[in-house]
Amino acid sequence: MFDSLNEQQKKAVEICDKNLLIIAGAGSGKTKTLTYKIAYILKNNLAKPYEILALTFTNKAADEMKQRIVNIINTSIENFYIGTFHALSLRFLRKIGKNYTIYDKHDQEMLVKDIIQSLNLDKNKFSPSKISSYISKLKNSANMEFPTKEIEKIYNMYEERLVNANAADFDNILINFINELKKNDELRLKFQNQFKFILIDEYQDTNNI
């Protein structure tokens, strides 16, 4: 099982009784090590597939991880929780009946454009694409300070319209799920008790959310 791993990677795979942070350069096999760790956990019956939460930043990385695990230990991925932060958060939200319409980048910009027009703001000064990007930046920041009153107004109207449309942009998928965990003790305890292992690929790229 470990033939393609070096000694440090093998050690990282086998440590399963405490928190572990892998620090290594690009292309050194961090994702590969994480994948083998999941396979090791399953092969040694340390957890069931549904008791492991593995988070990635891209669908491609998640799909590759699933396929590698199947190849290593020849198992089904039916009950796996391996995916992007957004995909798994949306999956969990839908399980509790939160069926949002998801707004992509184009939808966001169209909504912001409509708000800018309704406020009679100069579209050359307030670009929908730039404002949309700034809104996303604000949501991913611990600092919710607005540079102008106009942007604060746009932001508040944007959020209000999302709520009224039962919609969520990509950032709100994460924020809404976090809020559900904060306010729902039963739900939070369910996830805390369910997942014995939480593994994060490219952990250094995580933000405040």
Side-chain angles (χ1 to χ4, degrees):
M1 179 178 176
F2 290 157
D3 290 346
S4 63
L5 301 180
N6 61 39
E7 288 304 314
Q8 288 181 318
Q9 290 171 332
K10 289 178 183 177
K11 184 177 180 180
V13 165
E14 292 174 336
I15 296 175
C16 295
D17 59 348
K18 59 184 177 181
N19 295 334
L20 184 67
L21 176 65
I22 298 176
I23 301 175
S28 58
K30 295 188 296 295
T31 302
K32 177 182 178 181
T33 302
L34 186 148
T35 303
Y36 269 84
K37 190 176 188 73
I38 295 173
Y40 178 86
I41 291 168
L42 293 171
K43 188 174 182 179
N44 288 276
N45 297 314
L46 300 177
K48 303 293 184 183
Y50 59 84
E51 295 175 326
I52 301 171
L53 176 64
L55 298 162
T56 70
F57 279 89
T58 67
N59 290 318
K60 181 181 178 182
D63 291 340
E64 288 178 354
M65 194 178 295
K66 292 174 186 177
Q67 191 56 53
R68 282 182 180 179
I69 293 169
V70 170
N71 293 339
I72 295 169
I73 59 174
N74 190 27
T75 187
S76 169
I77 60 171
E78 183 178 350
N79 295 319
F80 277 53
Y81 286 95
I82 299 176
T84 65
F85 288 86
H86 295 87
L88 287 174
S89 293
L90 185 59
R91 178 178 172 182
F92 294 142
L93 283 168
R94 285 176 171 164
K95 277 193 170 186
I96 60 173
K98 304 295 182 179
N99 296 307
Y100 298 108
T101 298
I102 305 304
Y103 280 17
D104 61 17
K105 184 177 180 181
H106 175 74
D107 297 323
Q108 290 174 257
E109 290 183 7
M110 289 299 99
L111 176 55
V112 170
K113 181 180 179 180
D114 185 60
I115 292 170
I116 290 171
Q117 290 176 341
S118 70
L119 293 173
N120 294 317
L121 297 174
D122 185 350
K123 64 181 180 180
N124 293 318
K125 184 178 179 181
F126 296 93
S127 161
S129 62
K130 290 182 179 179
I131 296 297
S132 295
S133 296
Y134 192 79
I135 287 174
S136 179
K137 183 179 178 180
L138 278 172
K139 290 182 180 182
N140 285 279
S141 170
N143 183 6
M144 284 291 288
E145 292 185 4
F146 299 93
T148 67
K149 290 183 178 180
E150 289 87 353
I151 291 179
E152 182 176 8
K153 181 68 173 177
I154 293 170
Y155 178 90
N156 290 334
M157 289 181 67
Y158 175 85
E159 289 298 295
E160 182 180 352
R161 292 198 185 185
L162 285 180
V163 172
N164 291 339
N166 191 37
D169 60 25
F170 289 124
D171 297 311
N172 277 95
I173 292 172
L174 302 182
I175 293 170
N176 291 352
F177 180 56
I178 290 171
N179 288 338
E180 289 294 331
L181 291 176
K182 286 181 177 179
K183 71 182 183 182
N184 189 328
D185 293 341
E186 183 179 350
L187 180 67
R188 185 173 65 255
L189 286 172
K190 176 183 180 294
F191 284 117
Q192 287 175 341
N193 293 329
Q194 176 178 340
F195 295 117
K196 294 181 178 180
F197 294 92
I198 299 176
L199 303 99
I200 303 174
D201 191 28
E202 304 294 351
Y203 179 79
Q204 73 278 2
D205 293 331
T206 57
N207 57 29
N208 289 302
I209 297 180

